[in-house]
Amino acid sequence: MLKPSPSKLRYTVALGACLGAPAFAAGLNVGVEIPRLDVAEYHRPYVAIWLERADNTVASTLSVWYDVKLKNAEGTGTKWLKDMRQWWRRAGRDLEMPIDGVTSPTRPAGKHQLQFTEGKNPLAALPAGNYKLVVEAAREVGGREVVSVHFTWPAAKAQQLRVAGSSELGEITLDLKP
């Protein structure tokens, strides 16, 4: 039986990665649905997505969506980050915005996907244990909502967890990959 040379094997693996072949690393995928609201004055919500330990301390901020282009007295949109009260009190007020790879502009209504891989930030130093994925949304001239999903890291098997918001958030999904 012929064995491929090491250089051909490296080329095949690299080509597979470029073509979107399935990854073998553990990780988690987060789905966040922003519902379309029928209101007179609609503003995109600010959203914070983070992981909490069993004692409710923040293990990692995964993503923060806010109005990064607001340039007047609102301090580039950071003035209203504190409206996401739970995230702000637990982690936000200690962070300096913007954070490369974490902060981004607000998103329109629809379903949005985020992917995180074990060994890479923000999961690089996440030890095994029980966690909670928390998603908080706050909207100007609107409401505020927090939803959470409990999970164990690392995942023993592939699983998808779901929770539904009732006003500012739609369905939140957490796909765990072992």
Side-chain angles (χ1 to χ4, degrees):
M1 181 171 146
L2 293 174
K3 292 184 180 181
S5 71
S7 62
K8 285 184 181 178
L9 184 57
R10 279 193 298 270
Y11 177 75
T12 303
V13 170
L15 182 60
C18 291
L19 296 176
F24 297 106
L28 53 91
N29 296 332
V30 178
V32 177
E33 182 180 20
I34 306 288
R36 186 170 309 280
L37 302 175
D38 188 19
V39 294
E41 186 178 343
Y42 179 80
H43 298 273
R44 290 180 178 183
Y46 280 29
V47 176
I49 304 162
W50 72 96
L51 300 178
E52 285 187 356
R53 298 176 191 89
D55 65 358
N56 292 331
T57 59
V58 174
S60 182
T61 296
L62 301 177
S63 191
V64 179
W65 306 342
Y66 69 103
D67 194 346
V68 296
K69 293 188 178 192
L70 206 53
K71 296 290 184 194
N72 53 18
E74 285 78 32
T76 64
T78 58
K79 177 180 178 181
W80 287 290
L81 286 173
K82 60 183 163 264
D83 288 349
M84 295 183 291
R85 293 190 299 258
Q86 190 169 328
W87 170 78
W88 181 256
R89 289 178 184 146
R90 293 186 181 170
R93 67 175 137 206
D94 296 327
L95 300 174
E96 189 172 324
M97 299 296 178
I99 303 169
D100 189 35
V102 174
T103 55
S104 64
T106 58
R107 312 266 174 107
K111 294 185 178 188
H112 306 279
Q113 295 292 319
L114 303 163
Q115 297 180 344
F116 305 96
T117 304
E118 181 180 37
K120 295 182 181 176
N121 281 335
L123 300 182
L126 191 65
N130 294 320
Y131 292 92
K132 183 170 40 171
L133 170 75
V134 186
V135 181
E136 182 173 18
R139 192 169 49 84
E140 183 182 355
V141 192
R144 181 182 152 274
E145 184 169 24
V146 180
V147 297
S148 61
V149 179
H150 293 268
F151 68 98
T152 301
W153 181 258
K157 62 179 179 153
Q159 64 185 98
Q160 184 176 69
L161 306 169
R162 297 175 184 273
V163 65
S166 61
S167 59
E168 298 299 325
L169 293 167
E171 183 177 62
I172 305 300
T173 59
L174 174 60
D175 294 322
L176 297 167
K177 298 183 297 183

